[in-house]
Amino acid sequence: MLVDVVMPKMGESITEGTILEWRKKVGDPVEKDELFLEIGTDKVDSEIPSLEAGIIVEILALENDVVDVGTVIARIETDESLVDISSPSKKPIKASEPINKPIRVEQPPSRKKKKVDSAESQNGKKFYTPVVLKIASQEGIPLNELEQISGSGRGGRVTKKDVLNYIENFTAIQPQGVEQTSTSSPDVLANSSFLPGRTEEMHHMRKLIADHMKKSIETSAHVYVMTEVDMTSIVDFVNENENAFLSRERYKLTYTPFMVDAVVKALQDFPEMNSSLLGTSVTYHKNINIGLAVSIENGLMVPSMFNCEEKNFLGLCRTVNDVANRTRNKQISADELTGSTFTISNFGVFGVTIGTPIINQPNVGILGVGAIKKQAVVVESPQGDAIAIRSMMMLSLGFDHRLIDGAGGAKFIERIRYYLVTMDLRQVL
């Protein structure tokens, strides 16, 4: 039976999508639930699984084509006995052709009759796709370590998801130091695809980010205030509880939920920061939906964590972990990339001390979280001043001066600092 493949609907507000990559060609077999297509929308890039097993006999939309939702973009013949790939045909397949006779599809010249389904190539070495090798290079994974990863793909092939899961699990069991450093070293970056003298089209994700950031700069009057936070108590708490937390929850305890918890409390005190500005109309939101900036392979996504005011600390930990993992694994939905009322960008994970992030429209504020680093600071006490080694962190708040004045921004970031340094850590877990 000839089955139509249509452009899927990725969200309530999504009406069209862009073909980013076909991972199969005409004449290639495809298994049910096999990822064979990547599409992009104005919200998210997604890997699409095949709903049927069979042979791809027609591709109707080329890469970079923008196609309306519901439009037929390919056809799959589920009865392989009707497909004859032994005799090439130069005639393109028409949708109106009867299917009661064998359908001939053109065999690509480079394609061999015997398909290698195993992860082992002819010379005994494992085969890795370019995307797997790229991730391994970016993360500093040597080939001998890559060979130890168990593959979940056909014939034991190591997939992109396998590598990402390996990196996540490896990171989870590492001791969490005070300094949050990048997983990419200068040597790794030197091996990336960004080579001098090379010219290429921007990735679809980068185009969306560029457009969104430009519009935000043109829309909002950006102003920034910064403050320093003593995170020593929280750092000590994480170090003391990380092993027990990892054993119980199966993911590591990070600093991000502490930031979210403090921001939610501060937003309840300053509801004007939990609003949206459209023209001259201000909407004060009932719920607190925190947007969390997540770095991915080709850029950045900001999924929303909804109704954070209803969650306790452990609930925030689970939500942060779930949303971040699904975003990195391209499992986040387009609807989850909208609806935020305030955004947090934690660039401290890359070792950066301070930054000035651009407001995520239509929010009126964004919090930048810097790296936690040990410093010699003056500690005041009733017994007098002293110099001590403390774990310090810089926070930066970007806000829309059309709605928020400097005093309001300063009070808000100071309230976040207050909730961080006075948090009752005996009650959080």
Side-chain angles (χ1 to χ4, degrees), residues 45-91:
D45 292 351
S46 301
E47 295 173 311
I48 307 301
S50 176
L51 299 180
E52 300 286 348
I55 304 292
I56 297 180
V57 296
E58 190 172 14
I59 291 178
L60 301 174
L62 303 178
E63 293 183 1
N64 297 319
D65 283 355
V66 179
V67 183
D68 290 338
V69 168
T71 302
V72 178
I73 56 178
R75 290 187 172 91
I76 296 175
E77 177 53 61
T78 59
D79 187 351
E80 297 187 16
S81 65
L82 296 178
V83 182
D84 179 11
I85 62 173
S86 61
S87 301
S89 172
K90 298 299 183 179
K91 180 182 176 182

Side-chain angles (χ1 to χ4, degrees), residues 237 258 261 265 313 418-429:
F237 178 84
F258 295 91
D261 184 75
K265 293 175 180 176
F313 183 80
Y418 169 80
Y419 282 126
L420 286 171
V421 300
T422 63
M423 186 177 295
D424 187 356
L425 299 174
R426 297 170 300 179
Q427 305 295 326
V428 296
L429 297 179

